[in-house]
Amino acid sequence: MSGGFFDGYVESSEKRVDLPDRYFNENLERALAEDWIRVHYMPIVRASNGRVCHEEALARWIDPDKGMILPDGFIPALEKTRQIYRLDLYVLDSVLEKIRIQMNAGLYVVPISVNLSRIDFEVCDIVDEVCRRVDGSGISRDRIIIELTEDVIGENFDYLKEQIERFQQEGFSVWMDDFGSGYSSLDVLQSMPVDLIKFDMRFMQQFDHGEKSRVILTELMKMAVGLGIDTVCEGVEREDQAAFLREIGCSK
C-alpha cells in the first residue's frame, strides 16, 4: 500500500564559500583522511503519526580554514573530475558505522538513504560495490536506501532503469529525489520502477503563492498513490503544510 512522509528543511546559516573546482579535487584525499567530510542526517517524519521513520545522509565539507562548505560548492567539482564516487562511498561507510554503533548500543535504528551520482554508475559497478560494503559491515541491506535525483535518471533512462532493478533485486529500496524539478516527471513516474518519490521542496516554497502548486502537487500525489508508490514531500516547515499533505494523501 502506498504511503507518505515529509521531511523538514532548514537553510544553513553558514556564509556561502566560493572556491575554485581545483581546490576540492586537490584536497579530497586529505578531506577524507582527516574527517573534513561530515555526514549530517535529515529526519523524515511519517505524516500520519509525526514519528521519525527514516533519515537521509547529507555530506558537508567542514574545511579547517574555509569553514562549512555546502554540497553545491563541492559536489559539482567532484563530478567534473569523476571523483564523486569516492565521496559517495565514504558517506555510505559512515552511515554503516553509525548504524552499527546504534545497534550495539541497543538504540532504535531507522533506515538511512544515501545519494548516488550518475558518475558512480560510470566509473565502477556501484551496485556490486554497495552490496560488498553493506554485507561486509554485517548490516542488513534493508537498512540502506538508495537515492537518485530525477535528472540523474533522465541522463540514460534505459541503463538507469536496469541498475535500479538490480538494486531492488539485491534487497535495496530505491528512492527518487527532487521529483517535479525536471520536465520528464510523468514519464519517470510511469516507467521507472522506484519505490518512493520525494517531491521537490519548491512545492512547499510556493505553498503561499497561489493555488497552482497545490493543485499540481495534489494530482501528482494521487497518481503516485494510484501506482502504489510511496511519497515524501521535502521542505515542510509548518503545521498547515503538514496538514495539507495529510489531506491530499501523503500519509501511511
Side-chain angles (χ1 to χ4, degrees):
M1 179 178 179
S2 177
F5 321 94
F6 51 79
D7 67 14
Y9 174 75
V10 178
E11 184 68 39
S12 173
S13 60
E14 295 289 333
K15 183 178 179 180
R16 185 170 300 279
V17 179
D18 293 318
L19 295 169
D21 290 353
R22 68 176 183 276
Y23 179 85
F24 300 110
N25 289 290
E26 291 172 355
N27 287 280
L28 178 60
E29 189 73 37
R30 184 180 178 191
L32 296 177
E34 298 183 11
D35 294 327
W36 295 5
I37 306 298
R38 304 287 178 84
V39 181
H40 294 193
Y41 295 90
M42 175 74 74
I44 297 176
V45 176
R46 192 179 300 277
S48 60
N49 59 22
R51 296 180 180 177
V52 174
C53 54
H54 299 82
E55 292 178 324
E56 178 183 3
L58 302 170
R60 296 292 185 267
W61 183 302
I62 313 297
D63 197 284
D65 298 319
K66 312 296 182 181
M68 177 181 284
I69 303 171
L70 300 178
D72 60 358
F74 60 89
I75 287 180
L78 298 178
E79 288 183 327
K80 288 178 184 177
T81 55
R82 305 173 73 81
Q83 293 294 307
I84 189 65
Y85 77 98
R86 298 180 61 196
L87 173 68
D88 290 342
L89 291 175
Y90 176 89
V91 171
L92 173 61
D93 288 340
S94 298
V95 168
L96 293 170
E97 178 65 9
K98 173 183 185 287
I99 293 175
R100 186 188 65 79
I101 291 173
Q102 288 181 313
M103 292 179 65
N104 288 344
L107 301 176
Y108 179 68
V109 177
V110 298
I112 300 175
S113 65
V114 295
N115 293 276
L116 297 183
S117 166
R118 173 179 57 85
I119 304 300
D120 297 341
F121 293 89
E122 298 177 359
V123 300
C124 65
D125 186 338
I126 193 65
V127 178
D128 182 70
E129 189 68 33
V130 169
C131 288
R132 184 179 66 81
R133 289 171 184 252
V134 174
D135 293 346
S137 72
I139 304 298
S140 174
R141 292 181 179 182
D142 62 5
R143 299 287 190 181
I144 300 298
I145 298 163
I146 305 301
E147 274 202 45
L148 304 172
T149 60
E150 183 182 347
D151 62 331
V152 167
I153 292 175
E155 291 286 338
N156 191 335
F157 195 92
D158 292 335
Y159 175 73
L160 264 297
K161 181 178 180 180
E162 292 177 1
Q163 301 310 302
I164 287 174
E165 290 172 342
R166 282 185 64 199
F167 268 123
Q168 292 170 328
Q169 291 165 3
E170 294 291 349
F172 296 94
S173 293
V174 180
W175 292 6
M176 183 193 305
D177 198 9
D178 297 337
F179 183 81
S181 62
Y183 296 102
S184 60
S185 297
L186 295 181
D187 287 338
V188 170
L189 187 62
Q190 175 177 309
S191 305
M192 195 60 67
V194 295
D195 300 290
L196 179 147
I197 57 174
K198 296 176 72 176
F199 288 99
D200 189 77
M201 68 176 61
R202 72 181 60 187
F203 288 107
M204 289 296 100
Q205 291 171 343
Q206 297 172 359
F207 188 80
D208 296 321
H209 302 288
E211 292 292 322
K212 287 186 177 180
S213 65
R214 300 189 198 187
V215 171
I216 293 171
L217 181 57
T218 298
E219 295 307 314
L220 288 173
M221 190 75 69
K222 288 180 180 178
M223 285 189 283
V225 171
L227 292 170
I229 301 173
D230 282 335
T231 56
V232 164
C233 194
E234 299 180 301
V236 180
E237 298 179 340
R238 306 196 314 256
E239 175 55 35
D240 60 329
Q241 294 172 331
F244 169 75
L245 293 173
R246 287 192 291 267
E247 181 181 337
I248 67 173
C250 190
S251 60
K252 195 67 173 176

